[in-house]
């Protein structure tokens, strides 16, 4: 069962119409992508998410939670999930799992089904799924219970719910993954680093299949207040649909979202043996660290550049082959320019999409979702839009960076695409995906 069996017919036709036949000359331990899954502010699955991007929709809205007014929060906008996880999970799962774990499980189920629910030895199946903030809702919920109702009312399931590895463990337990269950936490680069680790596990021969991605669900008064105190969040409460504006001249911060994105990574040999239809090749990954500041990126972007060049080197492709970048681009005043300058140096001709303009920032889930979108962009030969209500920053214009506008951009014949992710603490990750014929 391939893409057409799990995604809407229209998206399947769009993807398969431009994807070449599977190449048979890949290294047997090269990681190929055989399944995609997501739940996020734009959609409850891959098809609805891609359709929303095609339509140029934005998921940012005014938050209607009672705590917004209760705590008189300065930021009253966010990007909640498009679909309630309770619609897809059992009451027991909703009760016991943190929302971040719920998102990871839903996205993993979709990706696993799309990959054909492959038969694989449990000792050759691994999971690598990371949150950036961790199951924060369970942490705060347990504290509220203790403070308001006493220790006897704290649930025995609180610790399993609030562990940082809980989302990965949830997926791994359901699938019976005994090759390892991993959760490399690196703030907003977590999902991308988990995917990079998944490729390494396959290259090292430790697994044939890795369920990899990122998740987070941190829409809580404490996190909103904390990010607002850092001046990291957009304060455009009166105009939520245009608040997340990466690369714009008047950007003022990111919009907090929630959700997950998961890929099924599989060794080329295993996929070929079982007759799977790979969607792309994860040809290279690069990971580096700024070692500069806990929040601010190193101004020169030299370590971001090193991560990208490392990924390209491991993929064995020239920078000029990169036709598309799904940029980290959170809409912060400093971060966007550092990344823009780096991309202009390394891949100056690539069409650059900043999909956080539509989805908000999913923190640890961002790298997972954006990897999913990068694979789709490559397969559908179309770069998603960057919503630009006020135009580009003059510095970005001077750099000549090809930022994709609100209408999207054709990528016909694109051989390779990149997803970049950066996180507080100076974490840098770049993922390079190629078509099967590359």
């Amino acid at each position: 069962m391939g893409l057409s069996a799990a995604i809407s017919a229209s998206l399947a036709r769009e993807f398969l119409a431009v994807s070449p036949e599977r190449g048979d000359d890949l290294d047997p331990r090269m990681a190929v992508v055989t399944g995609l899954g997501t739940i996020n502010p734009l959609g409850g699955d891959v098809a609805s998410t891609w359709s929303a991007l095609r339509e140029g929709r934005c998921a940012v809205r005014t938050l209607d939670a009672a705590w917004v007014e209760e705590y008189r929060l300065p930021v009253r906008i966010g990007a909640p999930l498009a679909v309630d996880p309770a619609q897809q999970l059992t009451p027991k799962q909703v009760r016991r799992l943190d929302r971040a774990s719920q998102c990871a499980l839903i996205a993993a189920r979709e990706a696993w089904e799309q990959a054909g629910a492959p038969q694989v030895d449990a000792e050759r199946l691994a999971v690598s799924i990371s949150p950036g903030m961790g199951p924060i809702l369970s942490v705060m919920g347990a504290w509220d219970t203790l403070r308001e109702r006493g220790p006897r009312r704290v649930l025995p399931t609180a610790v399993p719910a609030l562990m940082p590895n809980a989302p990965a463990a949830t997926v791994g337990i359901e699938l019976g993954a005994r090759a390892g269950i991993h959760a490399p936490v690196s703030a907003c680069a977590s999902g991308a680093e988990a995917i990079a680790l998944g490729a390494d596990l396959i290259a090292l021969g430790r697994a044939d299949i890795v369920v990899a991605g990122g998740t987070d669900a941190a829409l809580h008064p404490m996190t909103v207040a904390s990010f607002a105190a850092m001046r990291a969040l957009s304060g455009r409460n009166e105009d939520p649909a245009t608040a997340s504006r990466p690369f714009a001249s008047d950007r003022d911060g990111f919009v907090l979202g929630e959700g997950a994105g998961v890929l099924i990574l599989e060794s080329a040999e295993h996929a070929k043996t079982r007759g799977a239809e790979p969607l792309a090749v994860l040809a290279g990954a690069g990971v580096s660290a700024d070692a500069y500041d806990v929040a601010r990126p190193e101004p020169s972007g030299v370590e971001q550049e090193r991560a990208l060049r490392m990924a390209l080197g491991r993929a064995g492709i020239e920078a000029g082959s990169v036709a598309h970048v799904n940029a980290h681009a959170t809409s912060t005043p400093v971060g966007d320019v550092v990344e823009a300058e780096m991309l202009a140096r390394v891949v100056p001709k690539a069409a650059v999409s900043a999909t956080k303009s539509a989805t908000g920032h999913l923190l640890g889930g961002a790298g997972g979702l954006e990897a999913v979108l990068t694979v789709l962009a490559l397969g559908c030969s179309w770069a998603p839009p960057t919503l630009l209500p006020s135009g580009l920053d003059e510095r970005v214009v001077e750099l000549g960076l090809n930022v994709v506008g609100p209408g999207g951009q054709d990528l016909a014949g694109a051989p390779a695409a990149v997803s970049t992710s950066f996180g507080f603490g100076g974490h840098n990750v770049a993922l390079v995906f190629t078509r099967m014929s590359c």
Side-chain angles (χ1 to χ4, degrees):
M1 180 168 62
L3 182 80
S4 57
I7 299 185
S8 70
S10 59
L11 177 53
R13 286 193 298 270
E14 179 183 2
F15 196 105
L16 296 175
V18 297
S19 297
E21 293 298 317
R22 183 174 72 244
D24 292 326
D25 57 349
L26 291 173
D27 184 309
R29 289 187 178 178
M30 178 70 77
V32 298
V33 181
T34 55
L36 304 172
T38 185
I39 179 171
N40 62 77
L42 276 179
D45 55 22
V46 171
S48 60
T49 300
W50 193 248
S51 176
L53 282 174
R54 280 288 196 183
E55 295 169 6
R57 284 162 42 197
C58 178
V60 180
R61 61 177 175 82
T62 300
L63 295 172
D64 55 12
W67 46 257
V68 175
E69 294 300 328
E70 179 182 357
Y71 294 104
R72 294 176 292 178
L73 293 174
V75 173
R76 302 189 299 277
I77 58 176
L81 293 175
V83 177
D84 184 353
Q87 296 179 15
Q88 301 183 50
L89 301 173
T90 66
K92 181 178 179 180
Q93 289 170 327
V94 172
R95 188 169 60 252
R96 292 192 171 189
L97 298 178
D98 182 86
R99 193 171 174 89
S101 296
Q102 295 173 18
C103 291
L105 183 57
I106 289 169
R109 283 175 173 175
E110 181 187 15
W112 188 253
E113 181 183 357
Q114 187 187 120
Q119 295 295 313
V120 59
D121 183 343
E123 295 182 357
R124 303 294 299 164
L125 171 63
V127 170
S128 180
I129 294 178
S130 299
M133 292 289 291
I136 190 69
L137 300 187
S138 291
V139 173
M140 300 307 297
W143 167 243
D144 288 343
T145 299
L146 174 63
R147 180 169 48 85
E148 297 170 5
R149 305 174 67 187
R152 291 183 179 275
R153 292 303 186 103
V154 176
L155 296 174
T157 55
V159 170
L162 60 80
M163 299 184 303
N165 64 310
T170 298
V171 173
I173 291 168
E174 173 157 299
L175 295 177
R178 298 196 177 98
I181 298 175
H182 307 274
V185 177
S186 50
C188 300
S190 295
E193 185 158 353
I195 294 168
L197 175 60
D200 286 345
L201 294 174
I202 290 172
L204 291 169
R206 290 176 53 189
D208 293 325
I209 297 179
V210 183
V211 183
T215 187
D216 250 328
L219 279 171
H220 184 278
M222 187 276 289
T223 53
V224 173
S226 298
F227 279 126
M230 292 180 68
R231 298 186 179 180
L233 295 181
S234 172
R236 287 190 168 84
N237 293 318
E238 306 307 318
D239 193 10
T242 67
S244 182
R245 45 180 72 186
F247 298 128
S249 57
D250 55 354
R251 64 193 182 279
D252 67 334
F254 68 83
V255 174
L256 186 58
E258 56 181 354
V262 171
L263 285 67
I264 304 301
L265 302 179
E266 190 165 355
S267 73
E269 181 179 37
H270 193 272
K272 180 181 178 182
T273 298
R274 72 180 184 92
E277 298 176 10
L279 310 177
V281 181
L282 177 49
V287 178
S288 72
D290 290 347
Y292 172 77
D293 187 82
V294 74
R296 292 174 297 154
E298 193 281 322
S300 74
V302 63
E303 288 301 324
Q304 293 184 8
E305 179 174 344
R306 189 166 73 90
L308 179 51
R309 292 195 185 278
M310 188 187 309
L312 292 169
R314 290 178 174 173
I317 64 173
E318 298 294 330
S321 297
V322 176
H324 170 58
V325 176
N326 191 309
H328 184 63
T330 61
S331 191
T332 56
V334 175
D336 284 13
V337 170
V338 173
E339 182 175 15
E341 291 174 343
M342 182 275 291
L343 293 176
R345 289 195 300 271
V346 183
V347 287
K349 297 181 180 180
V352 178
S353 297
T355 50
K356 289 183 180 72
S357 61
T359 67
H361 189 357
L362 277 55
L363 305 180
L369 172 60
E370 288 158 19
V372 168
L373 299 180
T374 304
V375 170
L376 289 171
L378 192 61
C380 296
S381 286
W382 183 76
T386 304
L387 306 181
L388 295 167
S390 62
L392 289 173
D393 186 308
E394 288 185 7
R395 177 58 181 151
V396 177
V397 174
E398 291 172 359
L399 290 168
L401 198 66
N402 177 17
V403 177
V404 178
Q409 186 171 321
D410 181 70
L411 292 176
V418 166
S419 179
T420 54
S421 296
F422 312 119
F424 281 2
H427 303 278
N428 309 307
V429 182
L431 305 173
V432 176
F433 296 94
T434 61
R435 290 186 185 277
M436 289 303 302
S437 61
C438 297

